[in-house]
Amino acid sequence: MLNTDLIRKDFPILERVTASGARVTYLDSTATSQKPLAVIEAMSDFYRRSNANIHRGVHTLAEESTALYENAREKIAEFIHAPSARQIIYTRNTTESINLVAYSWARANLKAGDLVILTEMEHHSNLVPWHMLAAERGIELDFIPVTADGLLDLDAYRSLLARDPKLVSFTHMSNVLGTVNPAAEIIRLARDVGAVTLVDAAQSVPHLAVDVQSLDADFLAFSAHKMCGPTGIGALYGKAALLESMPPFLGGGDMIKEVKLRSFRPNTLPHKFEAGTPAIAEAVGFGAAVDYLTKIGMDKIAAHEHEITEYALERLEEIPGVKVFGPSADKKGGVAAFTLEGVHPHDVAQILDQDGIAVRAGHHCAQPLHEKFGIPATSRASFYLYNTKEEVDLLVNGIYKVKKMFS
Ligand code: 7TS
């Protein structure tokens, strides 16, 4: 396991005491992770020392700022083993990355009747952009079903593939069930029938070593804020030939090579997709987050989370009335979404909060998945590199307290 005594010192917020006098037990990293000093200071240093707009000045600050912005892109590319930094497009988040594919690639390539395959465990950000395209274009959507134990039904997927899909877009790791899907196999099968693939890696890139080349993904989307970086920035990775062939998404400054009164020529990659002044300090923070995670080691982080998750599932399942959703610890990442018989998930979260324990309650932007399991909501604890088994114990004691209050 990781040395959490040392790691926790990197995260000042973990010392935070709430109004009730309890120290924060942060079990909501699936929603957003906490930020280490290395990231906070990189962003603060940027504003103190180097702030200027990028790509448009020759003065010292502009050159420094541009170099920092582009250098972070190199780090991000290396982190997911992209062949080149020009295949990393900065976006605002995973949601915008998926929308970029839906607006640019899909609107240029899909027509009425074309099939897009999604799964029943998608986050709304990999559902709604496709609903919108279905309404506009008449594309068809179908879904890989989720089994009772929270896995994708790959036999059903094989049947769907016989219907000549144009795109398969799926989550690498579920933000509710924690299921880590067999992405390489899903992509290989899609490729066999000529479909393009989009991986929602919002939950996988922060927690597992992800290699876009060994996955052979066409597109892969993720957010900095879930991987120790700041909010307001994310990335879309794409295969170079696809990105080259796509029309721009947003138009404006920086994404052009030349503009005339009645026409324009788009810039080269990656700038073609980055219109307007981007989130520069956030890109610097994103790069610092990647450095931080790399220094600790993604394999070590995954192993640490695995051990915490195994322990958490074991302890949660001991509690009478608790039902945890999703597969066993060996098939999932650090997420435990659960219900407690007779108590609304929001009440569970609210009572836990009195002891400083932060879990999320609701449908976690995966309403169809909750519907599938016949429940409106769950409470969800999620784990990252700074969490400990002691915090799992605090959660379990807190749930016993909830039970007592409601009995
Ligand atoms: N995809 C998955 C699998 C996610 O878990 C999330 C965010 C997103 C996409 C969207 O990411 P964003 O950065 O664009 O917002 N998931 C959650 C969550 O589980 N609780 O809050 C946000």
Side-chain angles (χ1 to χ4, degrees):
M1 295 203 69
L2 294 170
N3 184 342
T4 42
D5 286 344
L6 276 182
I7 286 175
R8 291 176 72 86
K9 288 200 175 79
D10 295 335
F11 294 83
I13 207 169
L14 299 178
E15 294 297 314
R16 171 71 203 276
V17 172
T18 63
S20 62
R23 208 190 61 187
V24 162
T25 297
Y26 190 74
L27 302 178
D28 197 18
S29 295
T30 292
T32 196
S33 74
Q34 293 304 347
K35 323 301 175 200
L37 278 169
V39 169
I40 298 168
E41 281 166 4
M43 293 175 72
S44 162
D45 283 351
F46 171 78
Y47 280 126
R48 284 166 189 274
R49 273 183 54 80
S50 312
N51 177 56
N53 211 330
I54 55 160
H55 299 149
R56 41 191 104 182
V58 289
H59 58 77
T60 301
L61 296 186
E63 280 183 357
E64 230 169 85
S65 169
T66 304
L68 285 164
Y69 179 78
E70 292 303 336
N71 186 248
R73 195 194 307 272
E74 299 275 349
K75 292 175 185 184
I76 296 157
E78 205 174 308
F79 189 65
I80 59 165
H81 198 221
S84 148
R86 67 192 192 101
Q87 291 167 259
I88 302 293
I89 315 295
Y90 285 127
T91 60
R92 277 191 307 141
N93 45 39
T94 305
T95 303
E96 189 174 286
S97 298
I98 294 171
N99 274 278
L100 197 165
V101 177
Y103 276 90
S104 173
W105 178 83
R107 278 168 172 77
N109 288 282
L110 301 186
K111 57 182 192 316
D114 282 349
L115 176 64
V116 170
I117 298 180
L118 308 168
T119 86
E120 287 179 343
M121 63 167 80
E122 295 312 308
H123 186 278
H124 296 167
S125 63
N126 194 29
L127 289 170
V128 182
W130 308 112
H131 294 162
M132 289 162 71
L133 191 63
E136 183 187 312
R137 273 289 157 88
I139 61 159
E140 276 184 41
L141 306 179
D142 217 328
F143 303 87
I144 308 175
V146 174
T147 64
D149 47 359
L151 301 172
L152 289 181
D153 180 343
L154 292 185
D155 288 334
Y157 175 46
R158 285 191 186 88
S159 311
L160 287 172
L161 287 173
R163 289 168 45 198
D164 188 27
K166 297 293 183 277
L167 174 71
V168 177
S169 184
F170 65 98
T171 188
H172 196 175
M173 174 173 147
S174 162
N175 66 321
V176 178
L177 305 169
T179 315
V180 177
N181 291 318
E185 188 182 355
I186 293 171
I187 290 168
R188 184 176 53 76
L189 292 169
R191 183 154 320 288
D192 286 348
V193 300
V196 165
T197 53
L198 166 55
V199 182
D200 173 350
Q203 297 299 346
S204 59
V205 168
H207 301 280
L208 314 166
V210 169
D211 179 329
V212 288
Q213 293 187 67
S214 78
L215 283 179
D216 199 22
D218 289 317
F219 297 108
L220 185 131
F222 53 107
S223 299
H225 73 93
K226 294 186 197 286
M227 48 190 290
C228 294
T231 53
I233 192 160
L236 175 70
Y237 159 82
K239 284 199 178 151
L242 276 169
L243 292 174
E244 298 276 14
S245 74
M246 285 158 56
F249 171 33
L250 299 172
D254 236 31
M255 53 70 70
I256 46 82
K257 234 191 176 81
E258 183 189 48
V259 182
K260 305 225 157 132
L261 268 182
R262 295 186 190 280
S263 64
F264 77 97
R265 275 197 305 126
N267 210 333
T268 49
L269 289 178
H271 314 294
K272 178 167 89 173
F273 294 108
E274 293 175 9
T277 300
I280 308 168
E282 286 76 6
V284 175
F286 197 170
V290 162
D291 282 344
Y292 181 79
L293 293 174
T294 304
K295 204 165 113 204
I296 293 172
M298 289 311 293
D299 289 337
K300 285 189 186 151
I301 291 170
H304 176 82
E305 287 177 31
H306 177 71
E307 199 158 330
I308 303 265
T309 307
E310 206 164 40
Y311 180 67
L313 296 189
E314 199 181 289
R315 294 249 27 221
L316 286 169
E317 276 158 6
E318 269 168 22
I319 307 173
V322 165
K323 179 174 163 45
V324 182
F325 292 83
S328 54
D330 58 323
K331 295 195 182 67
K332 73 151 119 191
V335 186
F338 62 94
T339 50
L340 174 61
E341 203 181 339
V343 189
H344 194 280
H346 279 107
D347 292 331
V348 174
Q350 212 146 37
I351 295 164
L352 289 173
D353 181 59
Q354 292 170 5
D355 292 326
I357 302 166
V359 301
R360 187 177 169 189
H363 52 59
H364 318 295
C365 300
Q367 240 177 330
L369 179 67
H370 281 76
E371 211 162 283
K372 168 99 184 181
F373 284 101
I375 44 170
T378 49
S379 304
R380 181 188 67 186
S382 53
F383 313 109
Y384 208 6
L385 72 166
Y386 35 68
N387 290 119
T388 64
K389 287 187 180 171
E390 289 71 33
E391 290 181 305
V392 172
D393 293 336
L394 289 173
L395 170 69
V396 170
N397 294 345
I399 296 171
Y400 275 112
K401 191 170 145 188
V402 176
K403 275 173 71 79
K404 217 163 150 187
M405 288 174 76
F406 277 80
S407 67

